Amino acid sequence: MKLWSTKTFTIFKDLTPFGAIWLDVIRFNWSPDSSLLAFATDGTHSVNVCSIEKSVFVATLGHNETVYNCCFSVDGLYLASASGDKTVKVWSVDTYSLIYTFSHDYQVVYCDWSPDGSCIVTGVGYFEDENYNFNEPEDKLKVWSTKTGMLSKILS
């Protein structure tokens, strides 16, 4: 993978040495200060965090299934990851320790922070029932308080 400058349209960082892990990348997200790049992966069931300046992995944050999305908080202090294991996990970027785990009844494919960082919205995708019919869950979107870690609202 290569990072390109939008000013000069030249490569400013080549991350190819990180190897085959890039083949399973589903989603990228920059930290607000552009010092870190987080990416959700399928094969490793994790979010990997890379230091752009040092060109090294600084963390691998695990789930039990495919990770579909990841996003940094507006202040860059936290990273949220949404997974097929029916959870969204919120991690401290300072220590890479788990702060909260938010649960759904189905695989979670979306997560995003509110502009003021006070809440996270999480969303599930369609799911297959035992007859291979695609269904849409009723509690598709949930809003969580980042201060308490509690569910604030369910949006149907």
Side-chain angles (χ1 to χ4, degrees), residues 12 30-37 51-53:
F12 74 90
W30 287 99
S31 62
D33 66 0
S34 300
S35 67
L36 300 173
L37 181 65
S51 166
I52 297 303
E53 181 182 333

Side-chain angles (χ1 to χ4, degrees), residues 78-144:
Y78 302 98
L79 176 66
S81 54
S83 172
D85 65 9
K86 304 177 184 178
T87 67
V88 169
K89 295 183 178 184
V90 177
W91 311 88
S92 164
V93 172
D94 197 29
T95 62
Y96 296 107
S97 58
L98 183 63
I99 304 296
Y100 294 124
T101 300
F102 304 138
S103 297
H104 275 269
D105 293 329
Y106 306 99
Q107 65 182 8
V108 189
V109 294
Y110 309 107
C111 61
D112 200 11
W113 296 83
S114 63
D116 66 1
S118 67
C119 59
I120 296 175
V121 64
T122 61
V124 299
Y126 293 94
F127 66 94
E128 278 184 49
D129 63 19
E130 61 277 356
N131 297 318
Y132 301 102
N133 297 314
F134 282 96
N135 298 294
E136 184 175 1
E138 291 185 22
D139 60 343
K140 189 169 183 173
L141 298 174
K142 292 183 177 181
V143 179
W144 305 86

Side-chain angles (χ1 to χ4, degrees), residues 17-83:
F18 287 119
I21 195 165
W22 298 112
L23 298 176
D24 296 326
V25 171
I26 295 173
R27 173 90 163 107
F28 293 96
N29 197 278
W30 287 99
S31 62
D33 66 0
S34 300
S35 67
L36 300 173
L37 181 65
F39 50 96
T41 60
D42 184 4
T44 63
H45 299 165
S46 63
V47 174
N48 295 282
V49 182
C50 172
S51 166
I52 297 303
E53 181 182 333
K54 297 176 184 175
S55 295
V56 296
F57 286 121
V58 293
T60 298
L61 310 172
H63 277 271
N64 295 320
E65 293 290 336
T66 299
V67 177
Y68 293 105
N69 203 336
C70 58
C71 55
F72 285 94
S73 59
V74 177
D75 59 12
L77 298 177
Y78 302 98
L79 176 66
S81 54
S83 172

